[in-house]
Amino acid sequence: MLRLPLIFQLAALLSAIVSCAHAFSLDTSRSAKHVRAIYQQGCRTMVSQRLTSRIVLKAAESEQEEDDGWGDSVSTTTSSDRISKSQELASLQNDMAMKQQNKSTQSSPSADMSESKERDLFIPIFTLVSVIGFSGLYGYEMLRLYSKGELYLPWNN
């Protein structure tokens, strides 16, 4: 008479066990950090390339402009000096970005090791406690209603 709810309880317990096993089997902390580091590296490279192209374009535009709008005479620096300075600035910015990236990659393995030792168990524990709690509550209510004769079972009618 109580076979159908027992089947549902077993199915819920089985799904909780599978979800906990899945949560323990995955080590996503390192892969997510690796993807994040690659994304940040790409963003830094893209920003430095955009800055370089903007600096070169501004240098070329300023070469063509004869009046700066302030009534001053045209500066004495040549366009080749401006372009070489802008290229030097861009290379220095690239070097700084690479140094920052190297520092972050050197410090990240120690952080990865400490985080791989500690796993976040909140979700699997919460899932397991919730499934066991709700299954117990469901069983208790079913037995309470059955003892009073108020439990509706469609195959008994």
Side-chain angles (χ1 to χ4, degrees):
M1 191 172 352
L2 298 175
R3 295 240 185 244
L4 187 62
L6 182 62
I7 291 173
F8 287 138
Q9 287 178 356
L10 291 175
L13 185 61
L14 181 64
S15 67
I17 291 171
V18 168
S19 66
C20 288
H22 181 69
F24 284 114
S25 68
L26 293 179
D27 187 17
T28 58
S29 62
R30 274 192 275 151
S31 61
K33 286 185 179 184
H34 180 67
V35 169
R36 189 179 311 124
I38 291 172
Y39 175 73
Q40 288 175 348
Q41 177 186 4
C43 288
R44 286 185 192 132
T45 306
M46 198 169 19
V47 167
S48 65
Q49 287 174 351
R50 285 183 183 173
L51 284 174
T52 305
S53 63
R54 284 183 186 174
I55 291 170
V56 171
L57 287 175
K58 284 183 180 180
E61 288 175 0
S62 65
E63 171 188 315
Q64 295 172 355
E65 296 176 4
E66 293 180 8
D67 187 17
D68 62 356
W70 291 96
D72 297 333
S73 63
V74 179
S75 63
T76 58
T77 58
T78 63
S79 63
S80 62
D81 290 338
R82 287 183 184 166
I83 291 174
S84 66
K85 287 181 181 179
S86 64
Q87 289 174 348
E88 181 183 355
L89 177 63
S91 68
L92 289 173
Q93 287 175 341
N94 285 335
D95 290 340
M96 289 298 291
M98 294 301 278
K99 285 179 184 177
Q100 288 176 353
Q101 178 189 1
N102 288 339
K103 286 181 183 177
S104 67
T105 56
Q106 288 174 357
S107 65
S108 65
S110 63
D112 286 343
M113 292 300 291
S114 65
E115 287 185 13
S116 64
K117 292 178 184 174
E118 282 186 31
R119 289 187 145 182
D120 188 15
L121 300 177
F122 174 75
I123 292 174
I125 291 172
F126 183 79
T127 303
L128 189 62
V129 169
S130 298
V131 168
I132 291 172
F134 284 122
S135 298
L137 181 64
Y138 180 77
Y140 169 76
E141 283 295 317
M142 189 175 57
L143 290 174
R144 187 183 65 82
L145 289 173
Y146 180 73
S147 68
K148 289 184 176 181
E150 298 173 358
L151 182 64
Y152 171 74
L153 297 173
W155 54 84
N156 284 346
N157 291 336

